Coordinates of all heavy atoms in Angstrom, one line a residue:
M750 N 0.9 -1.2 0.0 CA 0.0 0.0 0.0 C 0.9 1.3 0.0 O 1.8 1.3 0.8 CB -0.8 0.0 1.3 CG -2.0 1.0 1.2 SD -3.2 0.7 2.5 CE -4.4 -0.3 1.8
P751 N 0.6 2.2 -0.8 CA 1.5 3.4 -0.9 C 1.4 4.3 0.4 O 0.4 4.2 1.1 CB 0.8 4.2 -2.1 CG -0.1 3.2 -2.8 CD -0.4 2.2 -1.8
S752 N 2.4 5.1 0.6 CA 2.3 5.9 1.8 C 2.4 7.4 1.5 O 2.5 7.8 0.3 CB 3.6 5.5 2.7 OG 4.7 5.9 1.9
F753 N 2.1 8.2 2.5 CA 2.2 9.6 2.4 C 2.8 10.1 3.7 O 2.7 9.5 4.7 CB 0.8 10.2 2.1 CG -0.2 10.1 3.2 CD1 -0.3 11.2 4.2 CD2 -1.0 9.1 3.4 CE1 -1.2 11.1 5.2 CE2 -1.9 9.0 4.4 CZ -2.0 10.0 5.2
K754 N 3.4 11.3 3.6 CA 4.0 11.9 4.8 C 3.8 13.4 4.8 O 3.6 14.0 3.8 CB 5.5 11.7 4.7 CG 6.0 10.2 4.8 CD 7.5 10.2 4.9 CE 7.9 8.7 4.8 NZ 7.6 8.0 5.9
A755 N 3.7 13.9 6.0 CA 3.5 15.4 6.2 C 4.3 15.7 7.4 O 4.2 15.0 8.4 CB 2.0 15.8 6.2
N756 N 4.9 17.0 7.4 CA 5.7 17.4 8.6 C 5.4 18.9 8.8 O 5.3 19.6 7.8 CB 7.1 17.1 8.4 CG 8.0 17.5 9.6 OD1 7.6 17.1 10.7 ND2 9.0 18.3 9.4
F757 N 5.2 19.2 10.0 CA 5.0 20.7 10.4 C 5.9 21.0 11.5 O 5.8 20.3 12.6 CB 3.5 20.9 10.6 CG 3.3 22.4 10.9 CD1 3.2 23.2 9.8 CD2 3.2 22.9 12.1 CE1 3.0 24.6 10.0 CE2 3.0 24.3 12.4 CZ 3.0 25.1 11.3
E758 N 6.8 22.0 11.4 CA 7.7 22.5 12.5 C 6.9 23.5 13.3 O 6.3 24.4 12.8 CB 8.9 23.1 12.0 CG 9.8 22.1 11.2 CD 11.0 22.8 10.7 OE1 11.5 23.8 11.3 OE2 11.6 22.2 9.8
H759 N 6.7 23.3 14.6 CA 5.9 24.1 15.4 C 6.7 24.9 16.6 O 6.3 25.9 16.9 CB 4.8 23.4 16.0 CG 5.2 22.2 16.9 ND1 5.6 22.3 18.2 CD2 5.1 20.8 16.6 CE1 5.9 21.2 18.7 NE2 5.6 20.3 17.8
N760 N 7.8 24.2 17.1 CA 8.5 24.9 18.2 C 7.7 25.3 19.3 O 8.0 26.4 19.9 CB 9.4 26.0 17.6 CG 10.4 25.5 16.6 OD1 11.1 24.5 16.8 ND2 10.4 26.2 15.5
R761 N 6.6 24.7 19.7 CA 5.7 25.0 20.8 C 5.9 24.1 22.0 O 5.2 24.3 23.0 CB 4.3 25.1 20.4 CG 4.1 26.0 19.2 CD 2.7 26.6 19.4 NE 2.5 27.5 18.3 CZ 2.2 28.8 18.5 NH1 2.1 29.2 19.7 NH2 1.9 29.6 17.5
G762 N 6.7 23.1 21.9 CA 6.8 22.1 23.0 C 5.7 21.1 22.7 O 4.7 21.3 22.2
K763 N 6.1 19.9 23.2 CA 5.1 18.8 23.1 C 3.8 18.9 23.7 O 2.8 18.6 23.1 CB 5.8 17.4 23.5 CG 5.0 16.2 23.2 CD 5.8 15.0 23.6 CE 5.0 13.7 23.1 NZ 5.8 12.5 23.3
E764 N 3.8 19.4 24.9 CA 2.5 19.5 25.6 C 1.6 20.5 25.0 O 0.3 20.2 24.8 CB 2.8 19.8 27.1 CG 3.4 18.8 27.9 CD 2.7 17.4 27.8 OE1 1.5 17.4 28.0 OE2 3.4 16.5 27.6
E765 N 2.0 21.6 24.6 CA 1.1 22.6 23.9 C 0.7 22.0 22.5 O -0.5 22.1 22.1 CB 1.8 23.9 23.7 CG 0.9 24.9 23.0 CD 1.4 26.3 22.8 OE1 2.5 26.6 23.5 OE2 0.8 27.1 22.1
A766 N 1.6 21.4 21.8 CA 1.2 20.7 20.5 C 0.2 19.7 20.8 O -0.8 19.6 19.9 CB 2.6 20.1 19.9
L767 N 0.3 18.8 21.8 CA -0.7 17.9 22.0 C -2.1 18.5 22.2 O -3.1 18.0 21.7 CB -0.4 17.0 23.2 CG 0.6 15.9 23.0 CD1 1.1 15.3 24.3 CD2 0.0 14.8 22.1
T768 N -2.1 19.6 23.1 CA -3.3 20.2 23.4 C -3.9 20.8 22.1 O -5.1 20.6 21.8 CB -3.1 21.4 24.4 OG1 -2.6 20.9 25.5 CG2 -4.3 22.2 24.6
R769 N -3.1 21.4 21.2 CA -3.7 21.9 20.0 C -4.1 20.8 19.0 O -5.1 21.0 18.3 CB -2.6 22.8 19.4 CG -2.4 24.1 20.0 CD -1.3 24.9 19.4 NE -1.0 26.2 20.1 CZ -1.4 27.3 19.6 NH1 -2.0 27.4 18.4 NH2 -1.2 28.4 20.2
L770 N -3.5 19.7 18.9 CA -3.8 18.7 18.0 C -4.9 17.7 18.4 O -5.3 17.0 17.6 CB -2.5 18.0 17.6 CG -1.5 18.8 16.8 CD1 -0.3 18.1 16.5 CD2 -2.2 19.3 15.5
K771 N -5.2 17.7 19.7 CA -6.4 16.9 20.2 C -7.6 17.2 19.4 O -8.5 16.3 19.3 CB -6.5 17.1 21.7 CG -5.5 16.5 22.5 CD -5.6 15.0 22.8 CE -4.4 14.6 23.7 NZ -4.5 13.2 24.1
S772 N -7.7 18.4 18.9 CA -8.9 18.8 18.1 C -8.8 18.5 16.6 O -9.6 18.9 15.8 CB -9.3 20.2 18.4 OG -8.3 21.0 17.9
F773 N -7.7 17.9 16.1 CA -7.4 17.7 14.8 C -8.5 17.0 14.0 O -8.9 17.4 13.0 CB -6.1 16.9 14.6 CG -5.5 16.8 13.3 CD1 -5.0 17.9 12.6 CD2 -5.6 15.6 12.6 CE1 -4.5 17.8 11.3 CE2 -5.1 15.5 11.4 CZ -4.5 16.6 10.7
S774 N -9.0 16.0 14.5 CA -10.1 15.2 13.9 C -11.3 16.0 13.8 O -12.1 15.9 12.9 CB -10.4 13.9 14.6 OG -10.9 14.0 15.9
E775 N -11.6 16.9 14.8 CA -12.8 17.7 14.8 C -12.7 18.8 13.5 O -13.6 19.0 12.9 CB -13.0 18.5 16.1 CG -13.5 17.6 17.2 CD -14.8 16.9 16.8 OE1 -15.7 17.6 16.3 OE2 -14.9 15.8 17.2
E776 N -11.4 19.3 13.4 CA -11.2 20.1 12.3 C -11.4 19.5 10.9 O -12.0 20.0 10.0 CB -9.8 20.7 12.3 CG -9.7 21.7 13.4 CD -8.3 22.3 13.5 OE1 -7.7 22.6 12.4 OE2 -7.8 22.6 14.6
V777 N -10.9 18.2 10.9 CA -11.2 17.4 9.6 C -12.6 17.2 9.4 O -13.2 17.4 8.2 CB -10.4 16.1 9.7 CG1 -10.8 15.2 8.5 CG2 -8.9 16.3 9.7
R778 N -13.4 16.8 10.4 CA -14.8 16.7 10.3 C -15.6 17.9 9.9 O -16.5 17.9 9.0 CB -15.4 16.2 11.5 CG -15.2 14.6 11.8 CD -15.9 14.2 13.1 NE -15.4 13.0 13.5 CZ -14.7 12.7 14.6 NH1 -14.4 13.7 15.4 NH2 -14.3 11.5 14.9
S779 N -15.1 19.0 10.4 CA -15.7 20.4 10.2 C -15.5 20.7 8.6 O -16.4 21.2 8.0 CB -15.2 21.5 11.0 OG -15.5 21.2 12.3
K780 N -14.3 20.6 8.2 CA -13.9 21.0 6.9 C -14.4 20.1 5.8 O -14.8 20.5 4.7 CB -12.4 21.2 6.8 CG -11.9 21.8 5.5 CD -10.5 22.2 5.4 CE -10.1 22.9 4.1 NZ -8.8 23.3 4.1
Y781 N -14.3 18.8 6.1 CA -14.7 17.8 5.0 C -15.8 16.9 5.4 O -15.9 15.8 4.8 CB -13.4 16.9 4.8 CG -12.2 17.7 4.4 CD1 -11.2 17.9 5.3 CD2 -12.1 18.1 3.1 CE1 -10.0 18.6 4.9 CE2 -11.0 18.9 2.7 CZ -9.9 19.1 3.6 OH -8.9 19.8 3.2
G782 N -16.7 17.4 6.3 CA -17.8 16.5 6.9 C -18.5 15.6 6.0 O -18.6 14.4 6.2
S783 N -18.9 16.1 4.8 CA -19.7 15.2 3.9 C -18.8 14.3 3.1 O -19.4 13.3 2.5 CB -20.5 16.1 2.9 OG -19.6 16.8 2.1
Q784 N -17.5 14.5 3.1 CA -16.6 13.7 2.3 C -15.9 12.7 3.2 O -15.3 11.7 2.7 CB -15.5 14.5 1.6 CG -16.1 15.5 0.6 CD -15.1 16.5 0.1 OE1 -14.0 16.6 0.6 NE2 -15.5 17.3 -0.8
V785 N -15.9 12.8 4.5 CA -15.2 11.9 5.4 C -16.2 11.2 6.3 O -17.1 11.7 6.8 CB -14.3 12.8 6.3 CG1 -13.6 11.9 7.4 CG2 -13.2 13.5 5.5
S786 N -15.9 9.9 6.4 CA -16.8 9.0 7.4 C -15.9 8.0 8.0 O -14.7 7.9 7.8 CB -17.8 8.4 6.5 OG -17.2 7.4 5.6
E787 N -16.5 7.3 8.9 CA -15.8 6.2 9.6 C -14.5 6.7 10.3 O -13.4 6.0 10.3 CB -15.5 5.0 8.7 CG -16.7 4.4 8.1 CD -16.4 3.3 7.2 OE1 -15.4 2.7 7.3 OE2 -17.3 3.1 6.3
M788 N -14.5 8.0 10.9 CA -13.3 8.5 11.5 C -13.1 7.7 12.8 O -13.9 7.6 13.7 CB -13.7 10.0 11.8 CG -12.5 10.7 12.5 SD -11.1 11.1 11.4 CE -11.7 12.6 10.8
E789 N -11.9 7.3 12.9 CA -11.3 6.6 14.1 C -10.1 7.3 14.6 O -9.3 7.7 13.8 CB -11.0 5.1 13.8 CG -12.0 4.3 13.2 CD -11.6 3.0 12.6 OE1 -10.5 2.7 12.8 OE2 -12.3 2.3 12.0
E790 N -9.9 7.4 15.9 CA -8.7 8.0 16.4 C -8.5 7.4 17.8 O -9.3 7.2 18.6 CB -8.8 9.6 16.6 CG -9.8 10.2 17.5 CD -9.7 11.6 17.6 OE1 -8.7 12.2 17.8 OE2 -10.8 12.2 17.4
T791 N -7.1 7.1 18.0 CA -6.8 6.5 19.3 C -5.4 7.2 19.7 O -4.5 7.2 18.9 CB -6.5 5.0 19.2 OG1 -7.7 4.5 18.8 CG2 -6.1 4.5 20.6
W792 N -5.5 7.9 20.8 CA -4.2 8.5 21.3 C -3.4 7.5 22.2 O -4.1 7.0 23.1 CB -4.4 9.8 22.1 CG -4.9 10.9 21.2 CD1 -6.2 11.2 20.9 CD2 -4.1 11.9 20.6 NE1 -6.2 12.3 20.1 CE2 -4.9 12.7 19.9 CE3 -2.7 12.1 20.5 CZ2 -4.4 13.8 19.1 CZ3 -2.2 13.2 19.8 CH2 -3.0 14.0 19.0
D793 N -2.2 7.2 22.1 CA -1.5 6.3 22.9 C -0.8 7.1 24.1 O -0.9 8.3 24.2 CB -0.5 5.5 22.2 CG 0.7 6.3 21.6 OD1 1.0 7.4 22.1 OD2 1.3 5.7 20.6
D794 N -0.2 6.4 25.0 CA 0.4 7.0 26.2 C 1.6 8.0 25.8 O 1.9 8.9 26.7 CB 0.9 6.0 27.2 CG -0.3 5.3 27.8 OD1 -1.4 5.8 27.8 OD2 -0.1 4.1 28.3
D795 N 2.1 7.8 24.7 CA 3.3 8.7 24.3 C 2.8 9.9 23.5 O 3.7 10.7 23.1 CB 4.3 7.8 23.4 CG 5.0 6.8 24.2 OD1 5.3 6.9 25.4 OD2 5.2 5.7 23.6
G796 N 1.5 10.1 23.3 CA 1.0 11.3 22.7 C 1.0 11.1 21.2 O 1.0 12.1 20.5
N797 N 0.9 9.9 20.7 CA 0.8 9.6 19.3 C -0.6 9.3 18.9 O -1.3 8.6 19.6 CB 1.7 8.4 18.8 CG 3.1 8.7 19.1 OD1 3.7 9.7 18.7 ND2 3.8 7.8 19.8
L798 N -1.1 9.9 17.8 CA -2.4 9.6 17.3 C -2.4 8.6 16.2 O -1.7 8.7 15.3 CB -3.1 10.9 16.8 CG -4.4 10.8 16.1 CD1 -5.5 10.3 17.0 CD2 -4.8 12.1 15.5
H799 N -3.2 7.5 16.4 CA -3.4 6.5 15.4 C -4.8 6.8 14.8 O -5.8 6.9 15.6 CB -3.2 5.1 16.0 CG -1.9 5.0 16.6 ND1 -0.9 4.4 16.0 CD2 -1.6 5.1 17.9 CE1 0.2 4.3 16.9 NE2 -0.3 4.8 18.0
F800 N -4.9 7.0 13.5 CA -6.2 7.5 13.0 C -6.5 6.7 11.7 O -5.6 6.1 11.1 CB -6.1 8.9 12.6 CG -5.1 9.3 11.5 CD1 -5.5 9.3 10.2 CD2 -3.8 9.7 11.9 CE1 -4.6 9.7 9.2 CE2 -2.9 10.0 10.9 CZ -3.3 10.0 9.5
G801 N -7.7 6.7 11.3 CA -8.2 6.1 10.1 C -9.5 6.8 9.8 O -10.2 7.2 10.6
F802 N -9.8 6.9 8.5 CA -11.1 7.4 8.0 C -11.3 7.0 6.6 O -10.4 6.6 5.9 CB -11.1 9.0 8.1 CG -10.1 9.7 7.4 CD1 -10.2 10.1 6.2 CD2 -8.9 10.0 8.1 CE1 -9.2 10.8 5.5 CE2 -7.9 10.7 7.4 CZ -8.1 11.1 6.1
T803 N -12.5 7.2 6.1 CA -12.8 6.9 4.7 C -13.1 8.2 4.1 O -13.9 9.0 4.6 CB -14.0 5.9 4.6 OG1 -13.7 4.7 5.3 CG2 -14.3 5.6 3.2
A804 N -12.5 8.5 3.0 CA -12.7 9.7 2.2 C -13.1 9.4 0.8 O -12.3 8.8 0.1 CB -11.5 10.7 2.3
L805 N -14.2 9.8 0.4 CA -14.7 9.5 -1.0 C -14.6 8.1 -1.3 O -14.2 7.7 -2.4 CB -13.9 10.4 -2.0 CG -14.0 11.9 -1.8 CD1 -13.0 12.6 -2.7 CD2 -15.3 12.4 -1.9
G806 N -14.9 7.2 -0.3 CA -14.9 5.8 -0.4 C -13.6 5.2 -0.4 O -13.5 3.9 -0.5
L807 N -12.5 5.9 0.0 CA -11.1 5.3 0.1 C -10.7 5.4 1.6 O -10.8 6.4 2.2 CB -10.2 6.2 -0.8 CG -10.5 6.3 -2.3 CD1 -9.6 7.3 -3.0 CD2 -10.4 4.9 -2.9
K808 N -10.2 4.3 2.1 CA -9.8 4.1 3.4 C -8.4 4.7 3.5 O -7.4 4.2 2.8 CB -9.8 2.7 3.9 CG -9.5 2.4 5.2 CD -10.5 2.9 6.2 CE -10.2 2.5 7.7 NZ -11.0 3.3 8.6
I809 N -8.2 5.6 4.5 CA -6.8 6.2 4.7 C -6.5 6.0 6.2 O -7.4 6.2 7.0 CB -6.9 7.7 4.3 CG1 -7.1 7.9 2.8 CG2 -5.5 8.4 4.7 CD1 -7.4 9.3 2.4
S810 N -5.2 5.7 6.5 CA -4.9 5.4 7.9 C -3.5 6.0 8.1 O -2.7 6.2 7.2 CB -5.0 4.0 8.3 OG -4.1 3.2 7.5
G811 N -3.2 6.2 9.3 CA -1.8 6.6 9.7 C -1.6 7.0 11.1 O -2.4 6.6 12.0
Q812 N -0.4 7.6 11.4 CA -0.1 8.0 12.7 C 0.4 9.4 12.7 O 1.2 9.8 11.8 CB 1.0 7.1 13.2 CG 1.5 7.4 14.6 CD 2.5 6.4 15.2 OE1 2.4 5.2 15.0 NE2 3.6 6.9 15.7
L813 N 0.0 10.2 13.7 CA 0.5 11.5 13.9 C 1.4 11.4 15.2 O 1.0 11.0 16.2 CB -0.6 12.4 14.2 CG -0.3 13.8 14.8 CD1 0.5 14.7 13.9 CD2 -1.5 14.6 15.2
S814 N 2.7 11.8 15.0 CA 3.6 11.8 16.1 C 4.1 13.2 16.4 O 4.3 14.0 15.5 CB 4.8 10.8 16.0 OG 5.3 11.0 14.7
I815 N 4.2 13.6 17.7 CA 4.6 14.9 18.1 C 5.8 15.0 19.0 O 5.9 14.0 19.9 CB 3.3 15.5 18.8 CG1 2.0 15.4 18.0 CG2 3.6 16.9 19.3 CD1 0.8 15.6 18.8
D816 N 6.7 15.9 18.7 CA 7.7 16.1 19.6 C 7.8 17.6 20.0 O 6.8 18.3 19.6 CB 9.1 15.6 19.1 CG 9.5 16.1 17.9 OD1 9.3 17.4 17.6 OD2 10.3 15.5 17.1
D817 N 8.8 18.1 20.6 CA 8.9 19.4 20.9 C 9.0 20.4 19.8 O 8.6 21.6 20.0 CB 10.1 19.7 21.8 CG 10.0 19.2 23.2 OD1 8.8 19.0 23.7 OD2 11.0 18.9 23.9
Q818 N 9.3 20.0 18.6 CA 9.5 20.9 17.5 C 8.7 20.6 16.2 O 8.6 21.3 15.3 CB 10.9 21.0 17.2 CG 11.8 21.6 18.3 CD 13.3 21.6 17.9 OE1 13.7 20.9 17.0 NE2 14.0 22.2 18.8
N819 N 8.2 19.3 16.1 CA 7.6 18.8 14.9 C 6.3 18.0 15.2 O 6.2 17.4 16.2 CB 8.5 17.9 14.1 CG 9.8 18.6 13.6 OD1 9.7 19.4 12.7 ND2 10.9 18.4 14.3
A820 N 5.4 18.1 14.2 CA 4.3 17.2 14.2 C 4.4 16.5 12.9 O 4.5 17.1 11.8 CB 3.0 18.0 14.2
K821 N 4.5 15.2 12.9 CA 4.7 14.4 11.7 C 3.6 13.3 11.5 O 3.2 12.7 12.4 CB 6.0 13.6 11.8 CG 7.2 14.4 12.0 CD 8.5 13.6 12.2 CE 9.7 14.5 12.5 NZ 10.9 13.7 12.8
I822 N 3.1 13.3 10.3 CA 2.1 12.2 9.9 C 2.8 11.3 8.8 O 3.3 11.7 7.9 CB 0.9 12.9 9.3 CG1 0.2 13.7 10.5 CG2 0.0 11.9 8.8 CD1 -1.1 14.4 10.0
D823 N 2.6 10.0 9.2 CA 2.9 8.9 8.3 C 1.6 8.2 8.0 O 1.0 7.7 9.0 CB 4.0 8.0 8.8 CG 5.4 8.8 8.9 OD1 5.8 9.3 7.8 OD2 5.9 8.9 10.1
G824 N 1.3 8.0 6.8 CA 0.0 7.3 6.6 C 0.1 6.3 5.4 O 1.0 6.3 4.6
Q825 N -1.1 5.6 5.2 CA -1.2 4.6 4.1 C -2.3 5.0 3.2 O -3.4 5.4 3.8 CB -1.4 3.2 4.6 CG -0.3 2.8 5.5 CD 1.0 2.6 4.8 OE1 1.0 1.9 3.7 NE2 2.1 3.1 5.3
L826 N -2.2 5.0 2.0 CA -3.3 5.3 1.0 C -3.6 4.0 0.2 O -2.6 3.2 -0.1 CB -2.8 6.3 0.0 CG -2.5 7.7 0.5 CD1 -1.8 8.5 -0.7 CD2 -3.7 8.4 0.9
P827 N -4.7 3.9 -0.3 CA -5.1 2.9 -1.2 C -4.5 3.2 -2.6 O -4.3 4.4 -2.9 CB -6.6 2.8 -1.3 CG -7.0 4.1 -0.7 CD -6.0 4.6 0.2
F828 N -4.2 2.2 -3.4 CA -3.6 2.5 -4.7 C -4.4 3.5 -5.5 O -3.9 4.3 -6.3 CB -3.4 1.2 -5.5 CG -2.3 0.3 -4.9 CD1 -2.5 -0.8 -4.2 CD2 -0.9 0.7 -5.1 CE1 -1.5 -1.6 -3.7 CE2 0.1 0.0 -4.6 CZ -0.1 -1.2 -3.9
A829 N -5.7 3.5 -5.4 CA -6.6 4.3 -6.1 C -6.4 5.8 -5.8 O -6.8 6.7 -6.6 CB -8.1 3.9 -5.9
A830 N -5.7 6.1 -4.7 CA -5.6 7.5 -4.3 C -4.2 8.0 -4.5 O -3.8 9.1 -4.2 CB -5.8 7.7 -2.8
V831 N -3.3 7.2 -5.2 CA -1.9 7.6 -5.3 C -1.8 8.9 -6.1 O -1.0 9.7 -5.9 CB -1.1 6.5 -6.1 CG1 0.3 7.0 -6.5 CG2 -0.9 5.3 -5.1
A832 N -2.7 9.0 -7.1 CA -2.6 10.3 -7.9 C -2.9 11.6 -7.1 O -2.5 12.7 -7.5 CB -3.7 10.2 -9.1
F833 N -3.5 11.3 -6.0 CA -3.8 12.6 -5.1 C -2.9 12.7 -3.9 O -3.1 13.5 -3.0 CB -5.3 12.4 -4.6 CG -6.2 12.2 -5.7 CD1 -6.8 11.0 -6.0 CD2 -6.6 13.3 -6.5 CE1 -7.7 10.8 -7.0 CE2 -7.5 13.1 -7.5 CZ -8.1 11.9 -7.8
R834 N -1.8 11.9 -3.9 CA -0.8 12.0 -2.8 C -0.4 13.3 -2.4 O -0.4 13.8 -1.3 CB 0.3 11.0 -3.0 CG 1.3 11.0 -1.8 CD 2.5 10.2 -2.1 NE 2.5 9.3 -3.2 CZ 3.0 8.1 -3.2 NH1 3.5 7.6 -2.1 NH2 2.9 7.4 -4.2
G835 N 0.1 14.1 -3.4 CA 0.6 15.5 -3.2 C -0.5 16.3 -2.6 O -0.2 17.1 -1.7
K836 N -1.7 16.3 -3.2 CA -2.8 17.1 -2.6 C -3.1 16.7 -1.2 O -3.3 17.6 -0.3 CB -4.0 16.9 -3.6 CG -5.2 17.8 -3.1 CD -5.0 19.2 -3.3 CE -6.2 20.0 -3.0 NZ -6.0 21.4 -2.8
I837 N -3.1 15.5 -0.9 CA -3.4 15.0 0.4 C -2.3 15.5 1.4 O -2.7 16.0 2.5 CB -3.5 13.5 0.5 CG1 -4.7 13.0 -0.3 CG2 -3.5 12.9 2.0 CD1 -4.8 11.5 -0.6
E838 N -1.1 15.4 1.1 CA 0.0 15.9 1.9 C -0.1 17.4 2.1 O 0.1 17.9 3.2 CB 1.4 15.5 1.3 CG 1.6 14.0 1.3 CD 2.9 13.6 0.6 OE1 3.3 14.3 -0.2 OE2 3.3 12.4 0.9
Q839 N -0.4 18.1 1.1 CA -0.6 19.6 1.2 C -1.8 19.9 2.1 O -1.7 20.8 3.0 CB -0.9 20.3 -0.2 CG 0.3 20.3 -1.1 CD -0.1 20.8 -2.4 OE1 -1.3 20.9 -2.8 NE2 0.9 21.0 -3.3
E840 N -2.9 19.2 2.0 CA -4.1 19.5 2.8 C -3.8 19.2 4.3 O -4.2 19.9 5.2 CB -5.3 18.7 2.3 CG -5.9 19.2 1.1 CD -6.5 20.5 1.2 OE1 -7.2 20.8 2.2 OE2 -6.5 21.4 0.2
I841 N -3.0 18.1 4.6 CA -2.7 17.8 5.9 C -1.8 18.8 6.5 O -2.0 19.2 7.7 CB -2.2 16.3 6.0 CG1 -3.3 15.3 5.7 CG2 -1.5 16.1 7.4 CD1 -2.7 13.9 5.6
T842 N -0.8 19.1 5.8 CA 0.2 20.2 6.2 C -0.6 21.5 6.5 O -0.3 22.2 7.6 CB 1.3 20.4 5.3 OG1 2.0 19.2 5.0 CG2 2.3 21.4 5.7
A843 N -1.5 21.9 5.7 CA -2.3 23.1 5.9 C -3.2 22.9 7.2 O -3.2 23.9 7.9 CB -3.2 23.4 4.7
A844 N -3.7 21.8 7.4 CA -4.5 21.5 8.6 C -3.7 21.6 9.9 O -4.1 22.2 10.9 CB -5.3 20.2 8.5
L845 N -2.4 21.1 9.8 CA -1.5 21.2 10.9 C -1.2 22.7 11.2 O -1.1 23.1 12.3 CB -0.3 20.4 10.7 CG -0.4 18.8 10.8 CD1 0.9 18.1 10.2 CD2 -0.8 18.4 12.1
A846 N -0.9 23.4 10.1 CA -0.6 24.9 10.3 C -1.7 25.6 10.9 O -1.5 26.3 11.8 CB -0.2 25.4 8.9
N847 N -2.9 25.3 10.5 CA -4.0 25.9 11.1 C -4.3 25.6 12.6 O -4.7 26.5 13.3 CB -5.4 25.4 10.3 CG -6.6 26.2 10.7 OD1 -6.6 27.4 10.8 ND2 -7.7 25.5 11.0
A848 N -3.9 24.4 13.0 CA -4.0 24.1 14.4 C -3.0 24.8 15.3 O -3.2 25.0 16.4 CB -3.7 22.5 14.5
F849 N -1.9 25.3 14.6 CA -0.9 26.0 15.3 C -1.1 27.5 15.2 O -0.2 28.2 15.8 CB 0.5 25.6 15.0 CG 0.8 24.2 15.6 CD1 0.7 23.0 14.8 CD2 1.2 24.1 16.9 CE1 1.0 21.8 15.3 CE2 1.4 22.9 17.5 CZ 1.4 21.7 16.7
E850 N -2.0 28.0 14.5 CA -2.2 29.5 14.4 C -2.6 30.0 15.7 O -3.3 29.4 16.5 CB -3.3 29.8 13.4 CG -2.8 29.7 12.0 CD -4.0 30.1 11.0 OE1 -5.1 30.4 11.4 OE2 -3.7 30.1 9.8
D851 N -2.2 31.3 16.0 CA -2.5 31.9 17.2 C -3.8 32.8 17.0 O -4.2 33.1 16.0 CB -1.4 32.9 17.7 CG -0.3 32.1 18.1 OD1 -0.5 31.0 18.8 OD2 0.9 32.5 18.0

């Protein structure tokens, strides 16, 4: 299965980053509500988000990991979505940037 990656440098510290990103799935639902379904999210004890959702009939999954300076997403795409990989990475990076706006 093809992968995608997104990285956002935040320099806000891990705790503040976690606080801001706990609402990440809510932002996805708000912006893409009619296009996204079956949203799943699980935060582990290290502050990593394991997520999955279906967008336009395609199942997408991945992990968001946070440290003191970066928020990184590594995910899996179905083969049918490979042509949209760049757009998906741009949209995710924009959503991360939005989460860190003041």
Side-chain angles (χ1 to χ4, degrees):
M750 192 172 267
S752 65
F753 67 94
K754 297 181 184 295
N756 184 50
F757 184 79
E758 293 181 28
H759 61 77
N760 298 315
R761 298 213 181 240
K763 185 173 182 173
E764 291 308 312
E765 183 177 345
L767 278 170
T768 299
R769 288 174 178 256
L770 292 173
K771 291 275 182 172
S772 65
F773 187 72
S774 64
E775 288 302 318
E776 289 183 39
V777 171
R778 282 187 195 108
S779 294
K780 187 171 183 178
Y781 301 103
S783 64
Q784 300 170 354
V785 174
S786 63
E787 301 176 30
M788 181 74 91
E789 301 169 9
E790 65 176 307
T791 305
W792 289 91
D793 66 22
D794 293 337
D795 294 324
N797 298 307
L798 170 62
H799 303 273
F800 65 89
F802 58 91
T803 300
L805 304 173
L807 302 171
K808 182 72 175 165
I809 298 172
S810 63
Q812 177 177 317
L813 166 66
S814 45
I815 303 161
D816 62 31
D817 287 335
Q818 299 175 346
N819 295 286
K821 299 176 185 175
I822 294 184
D823 292 303
Q825 301 295 311
L826 295 171
F828 287 106
V831 170
F833 304 107
R834 181 187 342 225
K836 180 68 172 165
I837 291 167
E838 291 171 342
Q839 288 173 349
E840 289 291 324
I841 290 171
T842 302
L845 290 172
N847 188 46
F849 286 101
E850 280 184 356
D851 287 325

